[in-house]
Structure formats: structure tokens, C-alpha cells
Amino acid sequence: MSNIALVGLPNSGKSSLFNALTKSRQRVANFPGITVEKRIGSLTFEESTFTLLDLPGVYTLDVSTLDEKVTRDYILNKSTDDKAEVFVLVIDSTNIKKSLYLALQIKDLGQKFVLALNMMDVAQKRGLAIDTDKLSAEFDCPVIPIVATEGKGLNDLIKSVKELSLTPSKEVITEKDYQRQIKESSYIKSKLRKTEEIMDKVITSTLTKDTFTEKLDNFLLHPVYGVVILFALLLGMFQLLFVGADPFIGMIESLFEFLGELATQYIPDGYFQSLVVDGILAGVGGILVFLPHIIFLFLIIYTLEDFGYLGRAAFMLDYLMRRLGLPGKAVVPLLSSHACAIPGIMSARIIDNPTERLITMLVSPLTTCSARLPVYTLIIAAMIPNDTYMGFGLPGLVLFGLYAMGIISAFIIAFILKSFMPNTSPSYLMMELPEYRKPKFSNIIRASLQKGMLFVKKAGTVIFVLSMLIWALVTFPKAPENASEPAINYSYAAKIGKTFEPIFRPMGFDWRITTALVPSFGAREVLVSSLSTVMAVEAADEEEAEKGLRALIKNEFSFAAMLALLVWFIYSPQCISTFAVLRKETNSYKMPILFGVYTLVLAYVMSFITYQVFS
Amino acid sequence: MDSNYVKLSNSEKGLFYRVVKLNDEKIALRLTQLGFHESSLVMLKRKAPIFKDPLLFQVGESQIALTRKEAETIDVLEVQGEHYHE
């Protein structure tokens, strides 16, 4: 078995080739110790099996971005386990010159490689003629024209890779030698001159302009239509996330409700039943319920990216977002976090600068996710009079205010975090806008499902363990035989609630609220049902229960305390899944802890102020 | 410095310019990767809607977006007689 690694510039069609070669025999992981995604697949050709590694897209090897370091380490044979024997450099044939610099570098380092001239069909249609024999002679390597999306030329490519893998390895230079090379003052100039020379030799007829991209850009980047379309698309994305994912979320919830009922029927009452129904089933359901949002969001993102629009959206939004302290691409995580912070945080990967990506991940959960809505509507319905104010309904205004506070706080905190976090790489836009291309939906669907599975695998365990912990806290110890109060009031959750009550008194919270807050760390909307349980609301159905709860809240708690609770829910360090996904995405415990601390302080201070002002 | 040099951010739409110098060391390497290096031919193609920032340039076969601030770091010289036709 031998290893092949794919290298190439961003948008060279490297991923298309990877997908075409490996089909479904692929998996996604992270490179050890960092959060750069690593895609590995396998393919069989004439009874030999190859492992294929998709390296991050890079322009050259000299700038020390994380992606470039990963790729360079592979080419310098520094990775210990799966060294690649042959490299395939994927080149966009409509833009060959740009790839030649990287090709020269790989050649210099001493690796065996093949040049795969991708998108040869488009290039030829646009009049490009290229002397592949001369190109092959220049680099002393095979040159194979391919069309990755249509599977053309792949056999020839693998054949030459196989032949090359059987030849003796060359001497690969050391990191030290490489560093010495690039430090020479004439290094870049001589490489650039060399690419010009090669181009003059191998290109016999040049390309005509790509009129399709030109025409579409006239429209999609138009000063008026372009903006209208952009906002329509963002709104559409948001709607699709909310409305499109909803039935699937409903299905998952119904399935687990059904399984719960089944378990209740067949397992005798007691701790074991509670463990299965309220612990295990609720925990697993609580993980899977995120899948529709994650998969939907990534279907949208990958489609826009594949088509070539994502960069253009960033181009149009960059100025505005940078004034607010974040890059243009941060719109996607911030907007989708209004549905749920979990997919929002995951989508922050599209941001190139690591520090800005981190800041976006840390502030995204402040935006109003859909799990806050049941809590908001409950308290607003109970406490806010149904008056009109300047023509607007007061309850609606309060809800709007909560949304506004969420997003404004996210920007303010981002601004503050920015001044504390050292920005290791320069914050720049500097990006290429690729030509428009027809999205390949089989690849998009596969990649989106992989994202979902990766979430279950990497974040699932943490979420499950924490939700079991919460289950134990509300279940143990058992209520006494002749208990007059709801069972939860005798549990550890109530003990925690009572212990912390003094701390929360300046916000008007009593032990019943602090107790109900404990299970809400699993998911915010749980507060509604846990408050019902703590306050022993008795009702035949859910609707009546909420009515009863509303009346109880109105009677038992002060207006100021409930406002403080609303404010608490804007900022509170929640939920456990947010912590789990932050841990997964940053590959460290530091960031989830930082998130927990800053939101806790913020939630406490803000609700404290609210209560003191209104009481 | 020759008075004919202009900053790329002040270049006129549709005219070709030759890159003379990259003035910011910190981003020079990245700009070089994207095609902005001494003697390369560039042209301002579009400005972003509303704020007229970032700017979109044609460099070789690529379209590259730079913020106004990034484009300010590049000195260019107008190439006479070459115009871009749509």
C-alpha cells in the first residue's frame, strides 16, 4: 500500500479530484494537534491499493499560514506516520502560470510528483493550447490532462502515479536547507522569472476571456442588484435553516419520545427506567437533534462555495463587518447562530484568520438562538402588558430588544476580545474570487453529511456525559416517601439551587429559579419544563401547563426579577453542547473555559444591573 | 521617487498598470502569491457596492479582491495605450 498526497492551489479542483478518485471511501479527521481538516480516502487500481490524502490548498510554501505549514511538513517528509510517496499537484488549466511557482518548489524539495492539468475541457474550449511534452520535460515529471468532475483522464493519472511509486525515492531536502533557500534574496525573483520562461515555452495559444463569469459578476456584484441579491440570499439561508430543518428536528424528537414511551411501558418504574428514558434516550436525542441544523447549514455553505459565491459575499460585506471588528465571512456564523450556535460555531471555519475565527466562535452564542425563544415568550407573556407603544405592541418590542441586545453584545465583546488576543497572522482580505462553476451536488451532500457525523463523533461524547450528569443531579437523591413537594425539590439540583440562592438574590432570583436553571444547562428551552416541575404546576396537557406556569410566575415573582431572568438568558454560559462544540472546534479546553467565564461574569453583571434598575 | 507612480488604490478603472513596488513587508509575500509582484500587470475591475471598498483587480487570469488599505501599499505605473475591453 502506498500513500499519495494531493496538493494544489485553492480552487484548483483538488477536492473534486479527491472525490472522483475515492467516491465514498473517505473519512475526515483533523491533522494531529491542530484544527486543519484532513481528508483521507482510498482507491484501488489494478490490484494495488492507495491511500489518498487531500492536503490543504496553498499558493506557495513560503508564507507561514497553518495550511501552508501542514502542506510543507508533508512535502518535507516531516510527518511521522503516513509519509506520501508520490504527490499529485492539481493545476487549474485555465490558470496554469499561478501553479508553476508551487510546482517549482515541490521539485526543489526533491519529491516525486505528477502534474494533473485539471479542467482541461474548459481551457481548450477557451482556446488554450499547451505543449505537455515540453512541460513534462521542464519539470522532469509526468503531465496528465484531466477533467476531475467528469472522471476523464483519471486512469492515466493513477497509472503514472503507480509507475512513479515504483521508482526509487529521491533525496528530500531538510527543513534547514529549505529555510536557507527561501532566505536568499533572489529566491522569489528567480522563481518568478523561471515561471515566465516555462510559460513562454509551453503555451502555444493563449486563453480567451471567461465571459460567463464576467456577465454574472456584472449582475451579482452590481451596486444595486448585487446588494439586493446578497440580502435576499442571506435571508433565504436563514429561513431555510429555520423552516427547512424544523420538520427533521420534529421527526427526531418524535422518534425519541416514542422510544421513551416504549421504554416506560416495558421497564418497571424506578431508577433504571428513569436512567433509560430521562438519561440515555434524552441524552442521545439531545445530540442527534442538532444534525438537521448542521447538515442544512453546510449544504447551503458548500453550495455557495462550490458555485463561487461565498467569496463574493465576503467581498461585499467586508467593509461593513470590518468596521464592526470582524471579517466579511463572519456574517455566516453570526447569522446562523440565530438558529443555533452549534452549526454557527462550526461554520466559523470559513474564516481564514485563526484569531478572528476564534473570536467569532466565542461571541456567536450571544446571538439569540431558537432555544431561547420558549423562555422569552413565556416570561414576556407572563410579565409584559399587552399595550402598544408608538404603534408597536410592547411584547414584540421587548422581544426585538432581546434580539438586538444579543447581536450588539456579540460585536462589543468581539471588539474587546480583539484588543486582548494577539493576532498572530495579519488580518487581511486579499483573496481570489474564483470563476463561477456548476456546483457538484453529490460532493456537497457527502461533505455535509460528513460534517454531521464528525459532530456526533467528536462532540457527542461530551454532550452525552454532561447530560447524564444533569440527569443525575435532578434525580438523586430520591424524595422521601411522604414527600409533599415535587421530587426535584429534594435533589442535588435543588441543593445547588439553594446553596447559590444568596449569590443570585441581588438579581431577584429565589431558589426555585436557581434550581430550574440547573437542568437548563442541557438546553435552554428546558427551563420552561423544569420551572413547571419545581413549582409543581399540575395540568392535563402542555398548553394548560404553560398557562398555569404563566399565572404562577406573575403571582410569585417580581417584574424586575423576571426582566433580570430574560437578561440572564441573553448572556448565560450555555448550553453544554456549545461547550462541547467549542472544545471540538478549537481542540482545547482553554476556549470553552474562557467562554464559560466571560459569559458567566457578563450574565451576572447584566442581570444584576437590570434588577437593581427596575426594582 | 518618480512622480508618475500612483498607489494602486488610486488607479483608474479599466486601465492597465505595472506593479513597481510593494511597500508593506508584512503582506508582500501574500500579495506575491496572488500575483502582485514587480512588473506584473494589474487592472482595477470593480469596486464593492455601497462603500467602494474592497476593490477587485484583474491580475493575470485571476480576479483578486484587496481592501483599499491593502491596495494602498502597492505602487504602480500606468501602462500607456493598453485598455480593457468588455
Side-chain angles (χ1 to χ4, degrees):
Chain A
M1 197 144 107
S2 18
N3 285 319
I4 311 170
L6 299 183
V7 267
L9 270 53
N11 301 309
S12 58
K14 201 166 51 66
S15 301
S16 307
L17 178 62
F18 180 80
N19 281 314
L21 288 174
T22 60
K23 300 258 164 30
S24 55
R25 299 175 303 268
Q26 50 173 267
R27 63 197 164 86
V28 185
N30 277 340
F31 282 98
I34 48 173
T35 50
V36 176
E37 233 162 62
K38 174 184 188 179
R39 305 209 303 153
I40 307 150
S42 70
L43 69 122
T44 311
F45 178 80
E46 290 174 354
E47 283 153 38
S48 334
T49 305
F50 297 91
T51 303
L52 198 63
L53 177 72
D54 191 12
L55 291 170
V58 295
Y59 287 99
T60 70
L61 303 175
D62 351 282
V63 183
S64 283
T65 65
L66 207 51
D67 285 356
E68 284 172 19
K69 199 176 158 358
V70 167
T71 304
R72 192 167 63 223
D73 284 353
Y74 257 82
I75 301 178
L76 286 170
N77 273 351
K78 275 177 70 182
S79 67
T80 43
D81 46 352
D82 38 2
K83 279 182 188 140
E85 278 163 53
V86 178
F87 288 80
V88 175
L89 175 57
V90 188
I91 295 177
D92 173 0
S93 300
T94 64
N95 202 347
I96 293 179
K97 189 174 164 188
K98 223 172 184 175
S99 294
L100 292 185
Y101 193 104
L102 183 59
L104 286 170
Q105 287 195 309
I106 295 174
K107 182 170 181 254
D108 274 2
L109 299 184
Q111 287 289 3
K112 295 189 283 187
F113 67 109
V114 178
L115 297 182
L117 295 178
N118 193 19
M119 294 179 257
M120 207 46 179
D121 53 341
V122 181
Q124 275 168 347
K125 231 180 267 167
R126 282 174 53 195
L128 180 84
I130 176 166
D131 190 332
T132 49
D133 291 338
K134 272 194 190 147
L135 188 60
S136 172
E138 282 295 331
F139 285 98
D140 189 23
C141 77
V143 175
I144 314 286
I146 62 166
V147 184
T149 47
E150 287 171 29
K152 284 185 191 153
L154 301 191
N155 262 335
D156 294 343
L157 179 66
I158 298 304
K159 211 170 139 195
S160 64
V161 166
K162 192 182 170 186
E163 280 164 13
L164 204 57
S165 72
L166 300 174
T167 61
S169 291
K170 296 179 189 169
E171 189 75 31
V172 175
I173 72 167
T174 61
E175 166 105 29
K176 231 166 113 191
D177 284 340
Y178 164 77
Q179 292 294 352
R180 193 160 46 227
Q181 270 186 15
I182 61 160
K183 286 217 173 70
E184 283 167 25
S185 59
S186 62
Y187 181 83
I188 294 172
K189 264 192 188 152
S190 74
K191 285 273 177 299
L192 288 171
R193 199 173 325 116
K194 185 83 188 155
T195 63
E196 295 283 352
E197 278 171 34
I198 297 172
M199 284 301 280
D200 283 344
K201 274 188 215 161
V202 301
I203 303 295
T204 51
S205 161
T206 52
L207 283 165
T208 55
K209 256 182 287 184
D210 172 32
T211 49
F212 178 69
T213 294
E214 193 82 46
K215 277 180 195 149
L216 205 52
D217 270 346
N218 283 341
F219 193 59
L220 291 179
L221 295 179
H222 188 275
V224 181
Y225 310 134
V227 179
V228 174
I229 293 166
L230 173 69
F231 282 96
L233 263 171
L234 288 176
L235 208 68
M237 172 182 106
F238 188 49
Q239 269 295 315
L240 201 64
L241 209 56
F242 250 107
V243 182
D246 229 33
F248 294 97
I249 294 175
M251 267 157 59
I252 292 172
E253 283 173 346
S254 310
L255 173 71
F256 277 87
E257 238 165 70
F258 170 74
L259 290 176
E261 277 164 28
L262 216 63
T264 315
Q265 245 173 50
Y266 289 101
I267 304 170
D269 275 355
Y271 279 138
F272 185 63
Q273 187 199 66
S274 172
L275 173 74
V276 172
V277 178
D278 304 320
I280 297 171
L281 282 176
V284 174
I287 298 162
L288 297 185
V289 85
F290 288 112
L291 283 180
H293 271 150
I294 293 171
I295 293 168
F296 263 82
L297 179 61
F298 278 96
L299 281 174
I300 300 167
I301 290 176
Y302 287 143
T303 306
L304 293 179
E305 194 173 30
D306 231 32
F307 178 54
Y309 189 78
L310 198 59
R312 283 163 171 90
F315 174 68
M316 287 186 273
L317 290 163
D318 196 76
Y319 185 87
L320 192 68
M321 289 297 287
R322 254 175 229 282
R323 295 295 151 311
L324 297 169
L326 291 171
K329 281 184 182 170
V331 163
V332 173
L334 285 174
L335 192 65
S336 42
S337 289
H338 280 86
C340 176
I342 308 309
I345 289 169
M346 289 171 73
S347 72
R349 277 202 191 210
I350 61 173
I351 299 170
D352 305 301
N353 180 293
T355 311
E356 290 173 342
R357 184 190 311 155
L358 201 59
I359 291 173
T360 308
M361 288 194 284
L362 286 172
V363 302
S364 285
L366 293 182
T367 60
T368 306
C369 68
S370 51
R372 286 177 176 92
L373 276 181
V375 179
Y376 286 176
T377 46
L378 171 75
I379 298 176
I380 287 174
M383 287 296 173
I384 307 293
N386 207 356
D387 298 340
T388 45
Y389 182 76
M390 288 169 67
F392 295 101
L394 206 49
L397 279 180
V398 171
L399 189 62
F400 177 79
L402 291 167
Y403 269 94
M405 272 176 82
I407 186 78
I408 292 169
S409 306
F411 282 118
I412 293 173
I413 299 297
F415 188 80
I416 295 171
L417 285 176
K418 241 184 135 156
S419 51
F420 280 107
M421 286 189 178
N423 202 344
T424 42
S425 47
S427 166
Y428 47 63
L429 175 69
M430 291 196 273
M431 63 172 180
E432 184 167 5
L433 298 189
E435 286 172 8
Y436 289 108
R437 257 172 238 158
K438 206 173 89 202
K440 189 142 168 100
F441 285 105
S442 55
N443 292 345
I444 290 169
I445 292 167
R446 185 189 299 130
S448 306
L449 293 177
Q450 278 172 350
K451 271 281 177 204
M453 290 307 126
L454 204 62
F455 165 78
V456 172
K457 241 169 54 191
K458 294 276 158 152
T461 344
V462 179
I463 299 175
F464 186 76
V465 169
L466 290 175
S467 60
M468 290 299 282
L469 177 71
I470 289 176
W471 168 79
L473 287 178
V474 297
T475 311
F476 299 106
K478 211 161 88 177
E481 294 269 323
N482 52 354
S484 55
E485 286 179 53
I488 188 177
N489 295 3
Y490 300 94
S491 70
Y492 290 120
K495 288 199 177 74
I496 294 172
K498 284 173 186 162
T499 311
F500 284 98
E501 189 196 2
I503 301 174
F504 285 88
R505 212 169 284 147
M507 292 135 72
F509 298 179
D510 69 6
W511 72 271
R512 291 171 298 183
I513 295 177
T514 47
T515 303
L517 281 176
V518 174
S520 83
F521 279 96
R524 285 181 169 90
E525 73 270 19
V526 170
L527 182 88
V528 177
S529 60
S530 63
L531 207 53
S532 286
T533 316
V534 173
M535 300 182 75
V537 177
E538 278 177 40
D541 57 45
E542 241 177 84
E543 206 176 311
E544 215 178 292
E546 195 161 336
K547 243 192 209 158
L549 183 57
R550 239 181 284 159
L552 259 179
I553 289 176
K554 207 176 160 135
N555 285 333
E556 300 272 323
F557 300 118
S558 70
F559 176 72
M562 286 299 103
L563 272 190
L565 187 59
L566 281 178
V567 172
W568 172 266
F569 264 79
I570 298 176
Y571 301 106
S572 62
Q574 280 174 294
C575 51
I576 52 173
S577 307
T578 303
F579 284 92
V581 85
L582 274 174
R583 149 95 190 96
K584 168 189 173 286
E585 289 296 315
T586 61
N587 210 6
S588 85
Y589 285 102
K590 229 168 76 191
M591 287 307 142
I593 290 171
L594 175 65
F595 170 75
V597 171
Y598 102 73
T599 48
L600 188 65
V601 172
L602 200 59
Y604 190 86
V605 172
M606 295 303 277
S607 341
F608 177 84
I609 293 172
T610 309
Y611 183 74
Q612 298 301 327
V613 168
F614 284 90
S615 67
Chain B
M1 199 169 83
D2 195 309
S3 58
N4 290 334
Y5 293 176
V6 286
K7 285 177 177 161
L8 184 60
S9 50
N10 295 330
S11 66
E12 215 170 298
K13 221 159 116 177
L15 295 183
F16 278 96
Y17 292 81
R18 212 169 272 290
V19 174
V20 179
K21 197 165 170 250
L22 308 177
N23 289 310
D24 186 349
E25 286 269 322
K26 286 199 293 289
I27 60 172
L29 213 49
R30 175 78 178 170
L31 283 169
T32 305
Q33 285 187 327
L34 294 171
F36 296 90
H37 46 77
E38 216 174 285
S39 85
S40 66
L41 214 53
V42 299
M43 183 201 65
L44 175 61
K45 256 184 121 168
R46 293 172 203 278
K47 296 172 181 175
I50 306 171
F51 304 105
K52 310 286 172 227
D53 183 10
L55 307 167
L56 188 61
F57 296 95
Q58 180 79 41
V59 189
E61 297 296 332
S62 310
Q63 296 198 71
I64 309 289
L66 302 181
T67 61
R68 218 165 249 286
K69 236 172 140 182
E70 288 156 4
E72 264 171 28
T73 70
I74 305 174
D75 285 341
V76 292
L77 191 61
E78 195 190 324
V79 179
Q80 299 297 328
E82 278 198 66
H83 287 254
Y84 182 76
H85 307 284
E86 284 205 12

